[in-house]
Structures are given as C-alpha cells and as structure tokens.
Amino acid sequence: MRKIDCKVYNPLGLTSRVCAELVAEANRALNCTVTLYFEDDIADLKSIMNMMSLIIRTEQEFYITINGSNEEQVEQKFLSLLTQLKLLKQEA
C-alpha cells in the first residue's frame, strides 16, 4: 500500500475541475484501488460522485492510498499530477 499526503492550497478549495482530474488519473489505474481519506469521510477516487460529495476547503489536508499490483507506478503518476495541481503536501 502506498500513501500520499495532500493539502489544498487553492483559495477556492478542491474544485470540481481538480476532482475530475484526480478521478481520471485513478481510472487509469486498472489494477489498483485508489481511495481518498478526509477527516471521517472515505471516497473511492474512481467515482466522480464520491469526490463531488466531499467538501474540502483551503488549507485542509487529506491523503490518498493506492493498493494493487502496480501501485508504485500509479503512485509516481499521482505524485506528478498532485505536484502539477499544487495539492502535494509540502513539508515545513
């Protein structure tokens, strides 16, 4: 299992466009389950409806887990996307 810590830096929070990009990347991971954890909520990252039901605001943190046969490759793709979307948690 791989875990990626994330934080929302966008003043608008986790927008629908960003959610759609995360879901699209998760759906490319055919042999993995990709799950987002936020406070007490758990969302299947392959479901746009699950993602849209979450309200994640600026400065809030969440994490993503990746389980499956090619999780290392999927993790690398997510790290690249999260960096591009400015969602990767930066260490202080």
Side-chain angles (χ1 to χ4, degrees):
M1 180 180 83
R2 305 292 177 146
K3 179 182 173 199
I4 304 172
D5 293 314
C6 306
K7 184 174 182 177
V8 178
Y9 296 97
N10 183 343
L12 300 175
L14 195 65
T15 64
S16 58
R17 181 191 64 79
V18 172
C19 286
E21 289 191 46
L22 292 172
V23 169
E25 187 62 46
N27 280 310
R28 289 185 196 100
L30 299 178
N31 297 321
C32 289
T33 57
V34 186
T35 309
L36 185 142
Y37 294 84
F38 170 66
E39 295 178 348
D40 294 332
D41 294 321
I42 300 171
D44 176 1
L45 204 49
K46 293 186 178 187
S47 167
I48 191 68
M49 295 305 288
N50 277 195
M51 287 301 297
M52 296 305 292
S53 70
L54 299 176
I55 299 173
I56 305 177
R57 294 184 170 84
T58 304
E59 299 297 317
Q60 290 185 311
E61 297 180 10
F62 61 94
Y63 67 92
I64 295 170
T65 62
I66 303 164
N67 274 310
S69 60
N70 59 335
E71 60 191 30
E72 189 173 311
Q73 295 163 337
V74 173
E75 178 188 35
Q76 291 306 313
K77 291 183 180 184
F78 262 98
L79 287 171
S80 176
L81 177 62
L82 291 165
T83 300
Q84 176 187 341
L85 296 173
K86 296 180 177 66
L87 289 174
L88 201 56
K89 184 176 177 184
Q90 302 163 355
E91 295 301 322

